[in-house]
């Protein structure tokens, strides 16, 4: 997320293709989950093949590392204006266009032998992925009956932890065996499969009529939207500061060779978190969001105080995953509920802030590493989680209510 995904308004229009069903359309949801997987994986994939990419393109590893940052910047800069510009498009046509652009940009990354061209391709891939993210969770919400909307979004969101826990290690292995460019071509192949899958199984929905358009920033006046956006920005920043430098932090602890195993524990716990959130979110959004923030804060405290015992590092990774895994689903659902009729605008801001936080997390983490050392990472997370918890607890009436309307 990578990867954060905005939710469209759940309000149906009179030209919706069919009445909302009472069961989950699994083939369509799995198509969207695969789209989340490949766009999330592609964002962080360069981190696993960084030495080979930098060598082939003739730049330093730090310069090559900015290919991750520029992907997030592409999403952050364009999510809002593209949401406005394409608001009248049919939703399926827009989603297919975004995925086609993503596949083309990924292919350009794979075949490029020039650093500037590669960076342009990565930027375009981020733009396309952001546009797709603005639709994917919204589709899940609109295809499901009200009591199953949370579960539908959770199914789509499984693409994120699967990408982080399994996709990145697999992509890294494939890159070492066959070449980094092969991994990007595989992502293109998967994107083409997803395009066909979406075309065959995902229903179409209308865009927003001209008379129904609202100003993007007008959503800020809707009660509950601002707290959700604040929590999104700071929560994602806290997570990214640690996650982006987890290998460096573990190396500092003398656990550098165990990075893959720690991330596997984190990823499996994230999947468990998504399952719990999907099953319980309809009636317990507030409790689950508070619990997620508390778990991440506790994990940071364990790392800060007890990381000398390596077994407790794995415990912290599990707590971190349990806290973080359901966060995309929780925040998207909270944003969609809070935004109401202006959910599209609210979620365009959500995806923008999510990617700003991801880009900022890498920068802030780098500054912390240079000035305070790796030991500062968990303490920084803990400090950032304090206002997150305060805002969630305080947004009792709007944003994170005890009962969803």
């Amino acid at each position: 997320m990578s990867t954060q995904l905005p939710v469209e308004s759940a309000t149906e229009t009179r030209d919706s293709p069919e009445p909302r069903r009472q069961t989950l359309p699994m083939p369509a949801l799995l198509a969207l989950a695969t789209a989340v997987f490949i766009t999330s994986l592609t964002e962080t994939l360069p981190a696993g093949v960084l030495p080979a990419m930098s060598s082939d393109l003739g730049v330093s590893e730090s310069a090559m590392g900015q290919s991750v940052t520029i992907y997030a910047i592409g999403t952050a800069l364009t999510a809002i204006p593209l949401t406005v510009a394409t608001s009248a498009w049919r939703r399926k046509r827009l989603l297919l266009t975004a995925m086609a652009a993503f596949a083309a940009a990924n292919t350009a990354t794979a075949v490029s032998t020039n650093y500037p061209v590669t960076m342009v391709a990565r930027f375009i891939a981020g733009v396309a992925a952001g546009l797709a993210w603005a639709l994917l969770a919204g589709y899940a919400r609109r295809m499901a009956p009200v009591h199953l909307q949370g579960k539908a979004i959770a199914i789509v969101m499984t693409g994120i932890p699967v990408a982080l826990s399994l996709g990145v290690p697999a992509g890294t292995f494939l890159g070492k065996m066959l070449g980094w460019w092969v991994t990007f071509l595989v992502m293109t192949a998967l994107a083409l499969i997803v395009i066909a899958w979406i075309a065959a199984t995902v229903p179409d929905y209308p865009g927003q009529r001209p008379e129904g358009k609202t100003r993007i920033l007008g959503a800020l006046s809707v009660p509950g939207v601002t707290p959700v956006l604040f929590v999104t920005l700071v929560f994602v920043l806290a997570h990214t500061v640690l996650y982006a430098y987890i290998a460096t932090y573990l190396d500092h602890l003398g656990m550098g060779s165990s990075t893959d195993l720690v991330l596997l524990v984190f990823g499996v716990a994230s999947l468990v978190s998504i399952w719990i959130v999907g099953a319980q979110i309809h009636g317990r959004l507030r409790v689950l969001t508070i619990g997620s923030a508390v778990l991440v804060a506790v994990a940071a405290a364990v790392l800060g105080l007890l990381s000398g015992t390596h077994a407790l590092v794995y415990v912290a990774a599990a707590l971190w995953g349990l806290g973080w895994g359901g966060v995309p689903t929780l925040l998207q659902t909270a944003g969609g509920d809070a935004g109401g009729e202006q959910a599209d605008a609210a979620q365009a801001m959500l995806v923008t802030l999510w990617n700003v936080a991801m880009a900022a997390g890498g920068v802030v983490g780098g500054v912390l590493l240079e000035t305070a050392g790796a030991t500062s990472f968990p303490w920084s997370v803990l400090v950032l989680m304090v206002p997150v918890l305060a805002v969630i607890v305080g947004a009792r009436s709007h944003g994170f209510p005890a009962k969803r309307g």
Side-chain angles (χ1 to χ4, degrees):
M1 225 309 208
S2 301
T3 174
Q4 1 327 254
L5 314 172
V7 183
E8 294 185 310
S9 171
T11 304
E12 299 297 337
T13 58
R14 63 174 176 265
D15 56 343
S16 293
E18 58 181 292
R20 185 173 284 156
R21 63 182 75 197
Q22 294 304 306
T23 58
L24 291 177
M26 290 305 297
L29 290 176
L30 291 176
L32 302 186
T34 307
V36 171
F37 170 79
I38 61 174
T39 50
S40 298
L41 175 54
T42 301
E43 180 169 20
T44 54
L45 190 57
V49 291
L50 207 58
M53 287 187 73
S54 63
S55 176
D56 285 356
L57 296 178
V59 296
S60 68
E61 290 189 22
S62 60
M64 199 69 251
Q66 300 313 304
S67 64
V68 177
T69 302
I70 201 168
Y71 189 104
I73 290 174
T75 298
L77 290 181
T78 61
I80 289 176
L82 280 181
T83 296
V84 174
T86 61
S87 61
W89 286 36
R90 300 288 302 187
R91 303 293 89 181
K92 188 170 183 175
R93 172 191 171 197
L94 183 57
L95 179 56
L96 290 172
T97 300
M99 293 306 299
F102 174 82
N106 230 29
T107 302
T109 301
V111 303
S112 172
T113 58
N114 180 275
Y115 178 73
V117 171
T118 299
M119 295 298 278
V120 170
R122 290 287 294 173
F123 180 85
I124 294 173
V127 171
L131 187 55
W133 292 340
L135 299 167
L136 290 171
Y139 254 119
R141 186 182 178 94
R142 296 173 78 167
M143 289 190 295
V146 173
H147 69 287
L148 292 177
Q149 285 179 354
K151 183 174 290 186
I153 295 174
I155 290 170
V156 173
M157 291 304 101
T158 56
I160 296 175
V162 170
L164 295 177
S165 61
L166 301 178
V168 173
T172 301
F173 175 78
L174 185 64
K176 290 179 179 178
M177 294 294 295
L178 300 176
W180 64 267
W181 55 274
V182 174
T183 62
F184 285 95
L185 286 181
V186 169
M187 292 300 100
T188 295
L190 286 176
L192 294 176
I193 292 172
V194 168
I195 289 171
W197 196 350
I198 290 171
T201 64
V202 174
D204 195 11
Y205 293 100
Q208 192 174 29
R209 291 187 177 89
E211 64 271 17
K213 293 183 180 179
T214 57
R215 294 184 300 109
I216 288 289
L217 295 182
L220 292 175
S221 63
V222 178
V225 170
T226 299
V228 174
L229 294 179
F230 176 86
V231 169
T232 298
L233 177 65
V234 183
F235 206 152
V236 175
L237 176 62
H239 165 77
T240 306
V241 164
L242 181 58
Y243 188 85
Y245 292 90
I246 188 62
T248 300
Y249 178 72
L250 292 174
D251 189 56
H252 167 76
L253 299 179
M255 297 179 64
S257 61
S258 302
T259 299
D260 290 347
L261 185 55
V262 171
L263 289 178
L264 180 61
V265 170
F266 169 83
V268 171
S270 294
L271 288 174
V272 173
S273 175
I274 284 183
W275 179 79
I276 294 172
V277 167
Q280 300 293 326
I281 191 172
H282 183 67
R284 300 182 178 179
L285 184 145
R286 176 178 175 81
V287 171
L288 290 169
T289 309
I290 292 174
S292 293
V294 169
L295 284 170
V296 172
V298 171
V302 171
L303 289 176
L305 293 171
L306 304 171
S307 58
T309 304
H310 288 180
L312 292 179
V313 174
Y314 291 100
V315 173
L319 293 174
W320 182 16
L322 284 173
W324 176 256
V327 167
T329 301
L330 290 166
L331 294 181
Q332 290 165 65
T333 302
D337 287 353
E341 294 299 320
Q342 298 197 58
D344 288 349
Q347 299 300 334
M349 288 187 284
L350 188 149
V351 75
T352 297
L353 291 178
W354 189 293
N355 283 276
V356 166
M358 288 186 65
V363 175
V364 171
V367 172
L368 288 172
L369 183 62
E370 293 296 324
T371 59
T375 55
S376 65
F377 291 146
W379 296 114
S380 300
V381 172
L382 192 57
V383 168
L384 288 169
M385 292 310 298
V386 171
V388 167
L389 268 167
V391 171
I392 295 171
V393 171
R396 178 180 296 275
S397 298
H398 300 284
F400 301 97
K403 292 184 178 180
R404 294 176 65 194

